[in-house]
Amino acid sequence: GGAGTGSPVFITPSNHTLDLDRSGTIKFNIEVRDPDSSSVTLTMVQGFDGADFQTSTGSKLASFRWTPTEAQIAERPVWG
């Protein structure tokens, strides 16, 4: 990670269950630790239509929010 030799470690989310039967929106915060670097660049490589990924330059935090449509859910019956 960054100027050091270690890689960033994801702290959150952990032990997190997403249940679309309870809430139609998937949302969670993302946090990484990297003692070697003062900042980490978090990027969503492959997103979903309508997904929102927010991060701040120099931050080790991000948030993800997505309300899938019925068609998007039907595209893939098992997520994991």
Side-chain angles (χ1 to χ4, degrees), residues 16-66:
H16 192 77
T17 301
L18 304 171
D19 186 347
L20 290 173
D21 287 332
R22 297 179 118 189
S23 171
T25 299
I26 297 170
K27 58 184 176 180
F28 52 88
N29 293 321
I30 301 160
E31 178 183 2
V32 298
R33 284 198 190 132
D34 188 353
D36 296 333
S37 302
S38 60
S39 69
V40 174
T41 300
L42 298 170
T43 307
M44 183 166 56
V45 176
Q46 182 179 357
F48 303 100
D49 286 340
D52 182 43
F53 184 78
Q54 298 286 322
T55 187
S56 299
T57 302
S59 175
K60 295 181 183 179
L61 304 170
S63 65
F64 176 85
R65 182 180 182 92
W66 180 47

Side-chain angles (χ1 to χ4, degrees), residues 76-80:
R76 188 170 178 189
V78 177
W79 291 80

